[in-house]
Structures are given as structure tokens and as C-alpha cells.
Amino acid sequence: EVQLVESGGDLVKPGGSLRLSCAASGFTFSTYNMNWVRQAPGKGLEWVSSISTNSSYIYYADSVKGRFTISRDNAKNSLYLQMNSLRAEDTAVYYCARSADDNFDSWGQGTLVTVSS
Amino acid sequence: DIQMTQSPSSVSASVGDRVTITCRASQGISSWLAWYQQKPGKAPKLLIYAASSLQNGVPSRFSGRGSGTDFTLTISSLQPEDFATYYCQQANSFPYTFGRGTKLEIK
């Protein structure tokens, strides 16, 4: 069974940093592109970032470019999101999602990031 | 960026009804469209990919159609567990974009 488990969400002050992790199991992690998708409270879904299998290709939404860094460790079956210079508008549940033909076919349960003073 | 416009934003329906949700892309995306279902407090679930392909395990009452810029998701006979919010997403090019969602409520 595919499992994606996010962790690292917390309350952080504006301008602060946070690192999210996603532990994958139940599939061959190194053969799938991976993504972060977020959802602000009461709002819709927003794609944040994607990373290819060997980290050769990385993409970001304009809203996070220059502040967030996606990475992965295939040996540890883990995906990461380093978030710097956090803003109130980054407050959201952050989901780790597996790509299958550019769709998100498996999702984690999400981790809540709250940016507030 | 490709904008995805979903309609309606909300719809009320009864068990057994047929419901259709529409998604329009601001430019052609071929068949690179997916539909997701999300229930409160839960992660989204992939229903349809490549505009009309049913994800494994998804009931056959769900169907998708369309190509280019206009797409539909149809639920042929609503069941109680189908009341949720539905999102379309284009997978044609980065940045991936979602529609704003359609909330399906019980009448």
C-alpha cells in the first residue's frame, strides 16, 4: 500500500523558516516524480513545487520561487521542502503527492504550517 | 499560466441525481486534465486522469469527457458518499493549476 506521511508543520513567525518532510513507503520511491501541493484554510488547492526522479528537473510556483527549495533523498525514500522567508499567506496544509503521468495519484494526510506573529 | 475555470462553484442535488461539473482551460491542454474529490479534513483523491480515464478503484458512475479547452465530470447517480468538493487540474504544463472547486451539497 502506498503511504506518504508528512511532518514538520508548525507555528512560525513571519520571516522564519521551516523544513517539511515526507516519508514514502509501499512503492519504489526513486522511480516517481514528487510534488508539494498546499491548501490555505477554507481555500482551494495550489501546486507548490515538483521534483523529478533524480532531481534533475525542479519547478516552483511563482509565489514561492526564491524562498522554497524542494529536494529528495532516494536512499531514505524521503521528500523535503525547505521554506524560508515565510509569510502569512504561506499558511496552509501542505500535502506531499506522488506523480503519475503528471497527475497526483497518491497524497499524504498533510501537515499544517501556520505563519503568524 | 493556464487558468482553469470551474462551474458551478456549488451545486445542490439529491441522492440518485445526475450531476455535471464543467472545467474550462484558458488555452488548449489536449487531454491533460484530472479530476479530484476532496472531503472535509481529508486529502484529495484522484478520480479521473487524461480527461476520461477512470482511476483504479473509482466507481463507474464517475465519468470524464472533453479535450482542448472544455471538460466535464459527470456523476451518473449520486450516492451519499459523493457529497464533497471537486477540483479539476491541468497537467499540460508548469505551473500546474487547479480550478477553484465545486462544492456538491445535499439538497
Side-chain angles (χ1 to χ4, degrees), chain A residues 2-103:
Chain A
V2 173
Q3 276 206 313
L4 298 168
V5 180
E6 302 94 336
S7 60
D10 205 347
L11 171 63
V12 60
K13 289 182 167 53
S17 297
L18 211 54
R19 189 194 197 207
L20 305 184
S21 299
C22 172
S25 60
F27 65 102
T28 306
F29 179 73
S30 61
T31 65
Y32 285 85
N33 297 335
M34 296 296 296
N35 311 271
W36 289 99
V37 177
R38 69 184 181 183
Q39 187 168 37
K43 303 297 185 182
L45 300 168
E46 180 188 15
W47 168 79
V48 172
S49 183
S50 297
I51 186 168
S52 63
T53 55
N54 60 1
S55 305
S56 295
Y57 299 96
I58 287 175
Y59 303 91
Y60 296 101
D62 284 347
S63 57
V64 307
K65 199 173 294 182
R67 300 187 299 122
F68 289 11
T69 303
I70 191 172
S71 63
R72 65 190 294 164
D73 186 335
N74 287 341
K76 294 184 177 179
N77 292 336
S78 293
L79 175 72
Y80 306 101
L81 186 67
Q82 177 67 42
M83 303 186 295
N84 298 331
S85 303
L86 282 161
R87 306 167 179 167
E89 54 265 36
D90 296 318
T91 294
V93 173
Y94 285 73
Y95 294 103
C96 162
R98 188 180 79 168
S99 276
D101 294 326
D102 296 307
N103 306 299

Side-chain angles (χ1 to χ4, degrees), chain B residues 35-58:
Chain B
W35 290 96
Y36 300 86
Q37 176 193 68
Q38 187 179 33
K39 296 181 179 179
K42 299 294 187 182
K45 172 187 173 183
L46 177 64
L47 299 176
I48 301 281
Y49 62 96
S52 60
S53 296
L54 198 65
Q55 176 71 348
N56 287 343
V58 174

Side-chain angles (χ1 to χ4, degrees), chain B:
Chain B
D1 298 1
I2 299 174
Q3 307 304 316
M4 305 302 293
T5 303
Q6 260 183 263
S7 61
S9 56
S10 66
V11 57
S12 295
S14 301
V15 172
D17 284 353
R18 179 184 181 92
V19 169
T20 296
I21 298 168
T22 297
C23 184
R24 175 166 288 175
S26 60
Q27 62 189 74
I29 59 170
S30 184
S31 294
W32 292 100
L33 185 101
W35 290 96
Y36 300 86
Q37 176 193 68
Q38 187 179 33
K39 296 181 179 179
K42 299 294 187 182
K45 172 187 173 183
L46 177 64
L47 299 176
I48 301 281
Y49 62 96
S52 60
S53 296
L54 198 65
Q55 176 71 348
N56 287 343
V58 174
S60 58
R61 63 181 180 273
F62 290 91
S63 64
R65 297 188 66 179
S67 67
T69 60
D70 294 316
F71 303 87
T72 59
L73 171 70
T74 297
I75 310 171
S76 60
S77 178
L78 278 170
Q79 298 302 300
E81 61 268 28
D82 299 337
F83 292 94
T85 300
Y86 293 84
Y87 295 93
C88 62
Q89 175 241 332
Q90 66 84 13
N92 180 77
S93 61
F94 288 103
Y96 294 149
T97 45
F98 290 88
R100 298 181 74 171
T102 296
K103 187 173 184 179
L104 178 51
E105 298 175 303
I106 301 173
K107 185 182 287 185

